[in-house]
Amino acid sequence: MQRSSDVLVIGAGVIGCAIAYELGRRGVSVVVIDDRKPGAGATQASAGMLAPYNEVEAEGPHLELTVRALDRFDRFVARVVEDSGVAVRYCRTGTLTLAFTGESQMHLERVGALARARGVQAELLEAADVAREEPAAASTARAGLVIPAHGYVAAHQLIEALVAAASRHGVSFVTGVRVQAIRQRGEIVTASAGTEILTAAHAIHAAGSWTGQLVVDGAVPAPVHPVRGQLLHLKAVGPNVRRVTWGDRCYLVPWDDGSLLVGATVEHAGFDEATTVGGMSDLLGGVASTLRSDWRATLVGARAGLRPGTPDDLPIIGPSAVAPRVWYATGHYRNGVLLAPITASFLADAMLGQRVDPLLESMRPGRFGRL
Ligand code: GLY
């Protein structure tokens, strides 16, 4: 079958879906293609944390990008909910980061100073205040840091809403087929996927960990590697923890229905998306050292996803050097959900010739050669 559109988006993770939605609402005709259903890759294993100061711990373009990404999240979620009619659990509960060693206490102090230097509230707590702030915290915590601006979004609901909102703006989704080849000839981009031939004026390569396996004709493979993250889903029996809470060995994301997501392992296991007894055991051990050992919960399940890592931990966003109508939007590593809205709007602005944000310079594909 032959299909054509203004833009072809390869990859229906949170990045691909956010881009498709953004372009669709600007009147662009878009086809999204993926071999799985939307959000079935890294996104389904994401705890949806929105915590730039915990994720990026030094000044630079990465922190700037994540901070600006968080700033636009309220508006983004409100618009997607309105456009889709799908409810999305989204809370700015703040984060509580706990320190259990002198070294992690010094680290907290550095993170607090980094946030305050940007005018963001960040309150250091002594051990006695930690217990007041979070009664479930282990009594061995010697200090804490609260950053009230942080939060989380339920990634599976965000995907559902993005797909519904994009569809309302005319975006088509083709699933169950994998793109095997992509090339630009003149002003046309062509992708082949099984019996499908898709042509477009532009394509977006948003295949996450699999980006390097789909090499743009004439380019070198994108240096994106899979970094497995396993996640546990617990259910509190009694009061849940109050905020997103980070310990030395795991982070905890509490939902208002009593769910507690516990993440995440960081493993180099190739393309293996399985959960393992070792990974689950590490995470459970992490909860037991972060919270009081008599904190009551049951185990709901576990899942794993592959974060798309890059050599410098920064995403790859921008046009291919060899096929400038193919744009990369990949390599978001630990922050795909947080960075989805800003990636979508930067990319739509640049592709539609409206504005190239100066931050994109640090993310340009060409930093890795003839991509
Ligand atoms: N952003 C959290 C993680 O990747 O585990």
Side-chain angles (χ1 to χ4, degrees):
M1 180 166 177
Q2 287 225 330
R3 296 172 201 264
S4 79
S5 56
D6 294 336
V7 177
L8 173 66
V9 177
I10 300 164
V14 72
I15 298 293
C17 289
I19 291 169
Y21 164 59
E22 184 62 30
L23 290 169
R25 63 183 280 274
R26 298 191 194 193
V28 176
S29 80
V30 181
V31 170
V32 181
I33 186 163
D34 200 309
D35 57 348
R36 296 194 276 194
K37 67 183 176 49
T43 310
Q44 55 75 37
S46 167
M49 227 170 353
L50 307 170
Y53 293 98
N54 284 61
E55 295 280 9
V56 185
E57 294 161 358
E59 269 302 343
H62 203 184
L63 185 65
E64 180 67 23
L65 184 71
T66 53
V67 165
R68 283 173 62 185
L70 182 62
D71 284 347
R72 54 179 78 200
F73 235 86
D74 283 359
R75 260 179 300 128
F76 170 74
V77 172
R79 204 179 59 215
V80 176
V81 167
E82 189 182 328
D83 280 3
S84 65
V86 174
V88 175
R89 179 179 280 120
Y90 165 60
C91 293
R92 299 285 279 269
T93 54
T95 45
L96 167 64
T97 307
L98 299 173
F100 293 91
T101 63
E103 196 185 327
S104 57
Q105 188 169 352
M106 273 163 22
H107 173 74
L108 280 194
E109 285 162 13
R110 282 196 302 274
V111 173
L114 187 66
R116 280 191 298 274
R118 282 178 162 259
V120 173
Q121 192 187 336
E123 189 192 352
L124 281 166
L125 306 176
E126 294 179 355
D129 299 326
V130 167
R132 267 196 298 278
E133 181 66 35
E134 179 48 75
S139 57
T140 44
R142 51 192 284 167
L145 175 72
V146 173
I147 300 185
H150 286 161
Y152 71 85
V153 63
H156 69 290
Q157 292 173 341
L158 183 62
I159 277 284
E160 189 189 336
L162 282 170
V163 171
S167 303
R168 284 192 181 177
H169 287 293
V171 173
S172 308
F173 288 81
V174 177
T175 55
V177 275
R178 184 168 194 163
V179 176
Q180 284 118 7
I182 179 160
R183 64 163 196 267
Q184 178 184 334
R185 292 285 181 273
E187 302 203 330
I188 304 288
V189 179
T190 304
S192 49
T195 56
E196 302 266 355
I197 304 289
L198 303 109
T199 55
H202 293 277
I204 318 272
H205 199 338
S209 285
W210 291 268
T211 307
Q213 294 188 347
L214 175 61
V215 183
V216 177
D217 187 31
V220 299
V224 180
H225 56 274
V227 183
R228 184 166 66 189
Q230 301 188 45
L231 187 83
L232 292 181
H233 183 171
L234 307 184
K235 189 105 180 178
V237 177
N240 208 345
V241 304
R242 293 177 175 170
R243 298 174 182 273
V244 174
T245 299
W246 289 65
D248 286 345
R249 293 173 52 194
C250 69
Y251 55 77
L252 312 169
V253 179
W255 286 1
D256 52 13
D257 67 352
S259 294
L260 187 72
L261 302 181
V262 181
T265 61
V266 177
E267 302 166 85
H268 297 275
F271 287 88
D272 183 355
E273 294 176 274
T275 52
T276 63
V277 288
M280 293 187 286
S281 152
D282 281 354
L283 292 170
L284 261 188
V287 192
S289 67
T290 306
L291 301 182
R292 293 155 45 126
S293 57
D294 62 352
W295 188 73
R296 291 152 39 130
T298 55
L299 183 59
V300 179
R303 45 193 195 263
L306 303 179
R307 307 174 184 89
T310 63
D312 58 8
D313 290 347
L314 273 170
I316 302 173
I317 305 172
S320 159
V322 296
R325 286 176 170 263
V326 178
W327 296 65
Y328 292 93
T330 189
H332 292 73
Y333 189 36
R334 298 178 60 95
N335 291 298
V337 172
L338 172 62
L339 296 179
I342 200 165
T343 299
S345 81
F346 278 8
L347 202 131
D349 286 350
M351 182 185 275
L352 301 176
Q354 287 166 0
R355 179 171 190 267
V356 178
D357 194 283
L359 255 185
L360 284 174
E361 175 58 22
S362 317
M363 280 146 246
R364 77 199 150 76
R367 73 193 192 276
F368 297 123
R370 281 181 61 77
L371 268 198

